[in-house]
Amino acid sequence: MFFYDLNLKSNYKLSDKDRFYLSGYFGRDKFKFSELFGLSWGNSTATLRWNHVYGDKLFSNISLIYSDFDYGVEFKFADNAYFGSTQGFKDYNLKVDFSNYFKPGNKLSFGGQVIHHKFNPGEFKALNEETEETIGRTSIQLENKRALESAVYVDHEWKKNARYNFRYGMRISMFNNLGKSTEYTYAKDEFNKPFATDTSTFGNNEIYNTNIGFEPRASFSYNLTTQSALKASYNRTYQYIQQASNSATTLPVDQWFPSNVNVEPQLADQIAIGYFRNFDDLGLEVSLEAYHKVMQNQIDYRDGASLFFNEQLDGELLFGKARSTGLELYVQKNKGKFTGFIAYTLSATRRKLDEINRGDWYVDNNDRPHSLSLVGTYNFSDRVSLSGTFSYVSGKAFTSPVSSYIYDGKRLAIYGDRNNDRVPAYHRADIGLNLKNKEKEGKRLKSSWNFSVYNFYARENPFVVNFEEVKIENDEGEEIANGQTQAVQIALFKLIPSVTWNFEF
């Protein structure tokens, strides 16, 4: 395995009223685990921003943003077949933002953006002859998709006095599907399997589907005292690109679906209320916030979905709703030799689709009932400090087999209700020693060292859980299956030491 990350940032002051900023990020992660599977993913992004000051009350930021994300997976399945899949998308984004402090205690923000999306839904390749024989082809490239997403917004923040703060606004978004593209209309057979009943073809740059979303939002804060406050908010959002995961396997093949003639955009309404308190004498900041989110037009795969080498993936989707409720606690200490924070979230996220689990609510793939983060730093001096982190997250929900049967000499699994089980919880601790080199008078070079250990108590966190037949030895010493299945966990690595040298000049 290997990874790299490259961050670049620069700025240029053209005048007292104009400044340009250029930044970029380039990174990739890649690893392969034996002959079982391999993963590769990477991001590239660049931003050019022009900041202009019109006067004491008005300024603007105009940004050009490019981003490119790709993801690939290789893994082995039955009969020694081995295949790979790659997918990703690119964005070209123009964003304009204005801020106007037109009256004391009043700030008016407004602007808009236009994003050109280009999606690669997936290219599937057979990586050996066995795979070609199994699927009857060497590769298939799903049709690339393009879309244009645009939005305008206005936001007003009003501070009535030292106690009251109001903020409200409206965002109007629009999503246009662009040709060249082929779209299908689906029906289902007697076994609930989708099939295409009609095909529509659209020319290059032709707009063939449009979704418009009105997204109001508002927030309110009230300072009870100089050290405590109550806050409440409401916002509505439209999400035009959704992700679906195959929960029937423990190594999901995730797919990004833009809104189209078959997929409605996700609509979410969220309310939140919180209490915030500062304890200046102790150097503590404390907040407690509760939220509830209701989501419509959620997507998920049907049971038994055909995900690989399928040019009609939209037909494998089901649609429904979801809800999420949570309570977040945050405590931060920012004074003294010891500083740090504690963050804990108690939450529940559920989905409801008529065709899954008999229409009952079920656990969402991303449901994490408990999430805990502890971060602390102790400063021995201005040059020496010791830091440590601990994180705990509930295990990911997945669908496990509950029984099996023999067909054509092979044992096939029968799965239970959707997301009926969880992998073990993820937790780890990291420690690090930070040493700043003594600065020499008249020298611009500054540097520091960090010696750290990732996962220093060597927790074997699950990355993949495979279900394998339990084998026993017979009287002749041969290994045979005994009809039972066991879950086998794979962990990527245990303990990782590292040394980092930071310098500036």
Side-chain angles (χ1 to χ4, degrees):
M1 64 175 294
F2 74 87
F3 72 91
Y4 67 83
D5 296 281
L6 176 64
N7 291 277
L8 303 170
K9 187 175 182 180
S10 65
N11 67 81
Y12 177 73
K13 186 176 181 181
L14 182 65
S15 68
D16 292 337
K17 293 186 175 182
D18 297 279
R19 185 182 290 269
F20 289 89
Y21 300 86
L22 179 63
S23 61
Y25 167 80
F26 309 91
R28 178 157 296 278
D29 295 73
K30 187 172 183 177
F31 69 88
K32 189 173 183 179
F33 186 86
S34 183
E35 294 298 322
L36 184 61
F37 64 86
L39 290 176
S40 173
W41 65 94
N43 286 280
S44 300
T45 181
T47 300
L48 175 63
R49 178 166 62 93
W50 170 34
N51 174 259
H52 179 70
V53 178
Y54 297 90
D56 295 336
K57 297 181 179 180
L58 179 65
F59 68 89
S60 67
N61 284 293
I62 299 177
S63 304
L64 291 172
I65 306 168
Y66 165 80
S67 65
D68 182 5
F69 167 78
D70 66 87
Y71 172 84
V73 61
E74 301 176 0
F75 62 89
K76 185 178 181 180
F77 56 99
D79 298 325
N80 293 319
Y82 203 72
F83 85 95
S85 170
T86 58
Q87 58 181 283
F89 52 85
K90 295 180 180 180
D91 286 346
Y92 302 88
N93 185 0
L94 171 62
K95 187 179 181 184
V96 181
D97 301 291
F98 290 88
S99 295
N100 187 4
Y101 297 84
F102 62 95
K103 287 173 59 177
N106 287 265
K107 177 185 177 183
L108 184 67
S109 301
F110 57 95
Q113 69 178 143
V114 178
I115 308 173
H116 180 270
H117 300 288
K118 184 177 181 180
F119 303 91
N120 173 15
E123 180 182 10
F124 297 90
K125 292 183 178 180
L127 301 181
N128 58 15
E129 294 182 359
E130 289 87 344
T131 311
E132 294 180 22
E133 294 175 359
T134 301
I135 63 177
R137 65 181 85 178
T138 58
S139 67
I140 181 173
Q141 170 67 62
L142 302 185
E143 185 181 48
N144 288 336
K145 303 290 184 179
R146 296 191 303 127
L148 195 66
E149 183 176 356
S150 54
V152 293
Y153 74 92
V154 61
D155 180 272
H156 181 212
E157 184 176 0
W158 174 39
K159 293 183 179 180
K160 182 179 180 181
N161 52 43
R163 284 186 177 271
Y164 296 94
N165 187 305
F166 301 91
R167 186 172 181 176
Y168 56 93
M170 171 66 76
R171 184 175 185 268
I172 302 175
S173 58
M174 183 168 61
F175 193 85
N176 303 109
N177 295 102
L178 301 176
K180 188 176 181 179
S181 180
T182 301
E183 301 293 342
Y184 301 92
T185 302
Y186 299 98
K188 295 181 180 180
D189 61 19
E190 64 271 25
F191 302 104
N192 207 34
K193 186 176 180 179
F195 64 94
T197 59
D198 193 16
T199 302
S200 300
T201 303
F202 304 95
N204 192 38
N205 292 324
E206 179 182 355
I207 297 176
Y208 62 88
N209 182 64
T210 298
N211 292 105
I212 298 177
F214 293 88
E215 305 172 69
R217 64 274 318 270
S219 64
F220 165 76
S221 65
Y222 174 70
N223 294 321
L224 300 170
T225 67
T226 57
Q227 293 186 325
S228 61
L230 287 174
K231 298 182 180 181
S233 65
Y234 161 79
N235 67 81
R236 165 171 282 197
T237 56
Y238 279 80
Q239 183 171 315
Y240 297 100
I241 304 171
Q242 298 191 59
Q243 188 182 51
S245 297
N246 177 21
S247 61
T249 67
T250 53
L251 183 62
V253 177
D254 296 335
Q255 181 73 43
W256 296 91
F257 289 90
S259 300
N260 55 38
V261 295
N262 294 305
V263 181
E264 293 291 329
Q266 175 182 269
L267 171 62
D269 292 280
Q270 178 171 305
I271 57 173
I273 185 169
Y275 175 74
F276 301 79
R277 175 68 188 269
N278 293 330
F279 298 89
D280 291 337
D281 52 337
L282 299 176
L284 293 177
E285 297 179 4
V286 179
S287 65
L288 182 65
E289 190 168 12
Y291 68 87
H292 181 69
K293 188 175 185 179
V294 178
M295 293 158 279
Q296 303 176 40
N297 302 329
Q298 296 293 289
I299 64 174
D300 210 337
Y301 289 122
R302 69 178 182 87
D303 291 333
S306 176
L307 303 181
F308 310 119
F309 300 89
N310 187 350
E311 298 175 277
Q312 300 174 6
L313 272 176
D314 287 2
E316 304 292 343
L317 294 177
L318 302 174
F319 306 92
K321 57 186 178 180
R323 65 190 183 198
S324 182
T325 303
L327 184 67
E328 298 178 343
L329 172 66
Y330 182 79
V331 180
Q332 181 178 16
K333 185 177 185 299
N334 49 32
K335 292 182 180 180
K337 285 185 172 294
F338 178 78
T339 58
F341 68 84
I342 301 172
Y344 172 72
T345 300
L346 175 67
S347 63
T349 305
R350 300 291 184 268
R351 288 193 174 198
K352 181 179 174 65
L353 285 77
D354 291 340
E355 296 89 343
I356 297 178
N357 288 9
R358 303 164 300 280
D360 296 331
W361 289 94
Y362 66 95
V363 176
D364 185 85
N365 288 344
N366 297 311
D367 178 69
R368 301 290 191 272
H370 303 282
S371 177
L372 173 67
S373 295
L374 305 175
V375 177
T377 300
Y378 187 84
N379 296 291
F380 295 96
S381 67
D382 292 338
R383 295 175 52 208
V384 182
S385 63
L386 180 67
S387 60
T389 64
F390 173 79
S391 58
Y392 175 96
V393 182
S394 298
K396 176 181 173 63
F398 70 100
T399 306
S400 65
V402 294
S403 61
S404 62
Y405 63 97
I406 302 294
Y407 178 78
D408 195 23
K410 298 179 181 179
R411 183 170 297 277
L412 303 177
I414 298 176
Y415 288 90
D417 285 347
R418 183 71 60 92
N419 291 343
N420 62 335
D421 212 338
R422 288 185 185 273
V423 300
Y426 177 98
H427 59 85
R428 78 167 203 271
D430 309 328
I431 57 172
L433 179 65
N434 306 290
L435 302 175
K436 291 183 179 180
N437 290 335
K438 189 174 181 180
E439 297 180 12
K440 296 180 180 180
E441 187 175 352
K443 298 291 185 180
R444 296 184 62 181
L445 179 64
K446 300 178 183 179
S447 64
S448 64
W449 292 87
N450 173 266
F451 304 89
S452 63
V453 180
Y454 173 94
N455 193 23
F456 80 93
Y457 62 80
R459 161 72 174 177
E460 293 189 12
N461 286 300
F463 180 73
V464 173
V465 177
N466 288 321
F467 291 93
E468 302 177 357
E469 287 186 280
V470 178
K471 295 184 178 180
I472 58 175
E473 288 190 0
N474 59 16
D475 295 338
E476 287 76 27
E478 300 173 330
E479 285 193 345
I480 59 172
N482 70 348
Q484 296 181 338
T485 302
Q486 64 180 355
V488 179
Q489 171 183 306
I490 296 175
L492 288 184
F493 38 73
K494 296 183 181 179
L495 180 149
I496 300 179
S498 69
V499 178
T500 304
W501 178 38
N502 300 292
F503 62 91
E504 58 181 283
F505 55 90

